[in-house]
Amino acid sequence: MERDFERRKTERETASTSSPGKSTSSSPAKTSSSSTPKVPFDAAKAPSPERCLAYFLVSARKATSVHDFLKYLPDAKQQSLKKQQDRYDPADVPRSKEFFLKSNPDMDKESLEFLTNPPFVNSLNYHKHLAGRVTKITSVEVDGDHAKIRVDVTSDVVVNGIAYTRGAATIGMVGEGSLWRFDTYSEDIMVSR
């Protein structure tokens, strides 16, 4: 019961941070759990966390649509992303661009596009970029239906004219049904040459 409470709390936090500035009358966590019942995690049927991460990385690198890797995201994130996409209206883009440019006349084109892109496009770009940076799995730590996978990543940090091309990150995986799913990404602040 306590684990279920923590899961719902995390889902609410994830859903509320994924669409800032917009509020809905119903709780995203309640809506997602009522539309898609969560299947209990079966670790015996699931491939290892590192194998599931490899499936996600390959799918995301080759993806031409968010649907190519969506099944490797947790149910709550899938539902949240689908709802954001459903609410997206291309007719609002000119008005949104005008608003953002009035708020910040120096905004660059890339930032403006990001703020007005469809959610599926931004998710595809983000996950494709992230997957392309992972070079090696260095360790795996499993705790129940959560796993932390340490990975080496490429870096494009330049400090005082010196390029630092390597870094590390922690990828959080969560077990749902018979899969480990890509949940979180946290990059270390330390980089190396």
Side-chain angles (χ1 to χ4, degrees):
M1 180 134 185
E2 183 176 327
R3 182 182 287 170
D4 197 39
F5 170 78
E6 289 298 318
R7 179 186 55 79
R8 279 187 261 136
K9 178 181 172 190
T10 302
E11 288 174 355
R12 278 193 299 274
E13 290 171 353
T14 302
S16 68
T17 60
S18 62
S19 57
K22 290 191 176 186
S23 62
T24 57
S25 58
S26 65
S27 165
K30 288 181 184 175
T31 306
S32 69
S33 63
S34 64
S35 63
T36 309
K38 183 176 176 180
V39 178
F41 178 55
D42 187 350
K45 291 183 181 178
S48 66
E50 54 266 40
R51 179 161 292 198
C52 289
L53 176 59
Y55 294 154
F56 165 75
L57 293 173
V58 168
S59 296
R61 287 175 185 145
K62 293 180 177 181
T64 56
S65 161
V66 75
H67 298 289
D68 295 336
F69 61 83
L70 196 60
K71 70 180 180 180
Y72 296 110
L73 301 181
D75 290 335
K77 288 190 178 184
Q78 290 181 40
Q79 296 303 320
S80 175
L81 187 56
K82 288 175 184 176
K83 285 179 185 171
Q84 289 174 45
Q85 183 65 34
D86 289 344
R87 288 192 308 256
Y88 179 80
D89 184 357
D92 290 339
V93 171
R95 188 177 64 231
S96 295
K97 284 185 176 183
E98 183 180 330
F99 168 80
F100 288 122
L101 286 173
K102 279 184 182 175
S103 301
N104 181 1
D106 297 328
M107 183 176 291
D108 62 84
K109 183 178 179 180
E110 186 178 322
S111 297
L112 188 60
E113 289 300 316
F114 175 80
L115 291 169
T116 56
N117 271 344
F120 276 6
V121 169
N122 284 343
S123 182
L124 173 65
N125 293 340
Y126 169 76
H127 288 97
K128 204 171 172 71
H129 175 75
L130 183 147
R133 295 185 57 219
V134 175
T135 59
K136 181 171 85 171
I137 294 173
T138 58
S139 69
V140 179
E141 184 182 314
V142 177
D143 182 16
D145 62 353
H146 287 80
K148 289 182 181 179
I149 302 179
R150 294 286 297 160
V151 294
D152 287 343
V153 295
T154 59
S155 175
D156 56 2
V157 173
V158 177
V159 178
N160 295 330
I162 300 171
Y164 294 88
T165 58
R166 295 178 296 165
T170 301
I171 293 177
M173 304 286 283
V174 63
E176 290 184 349
S178 59
L179 280 178
W180 288 95
R181 297 184 180 189
F182 177 89
D183 190 32
T184 60
Y185 178 84
S186 176
E187 198 162 320
D188 295 358
I189 60 170
M190 300 299 293
V191 290
S192 59
R193 296 178 71 186

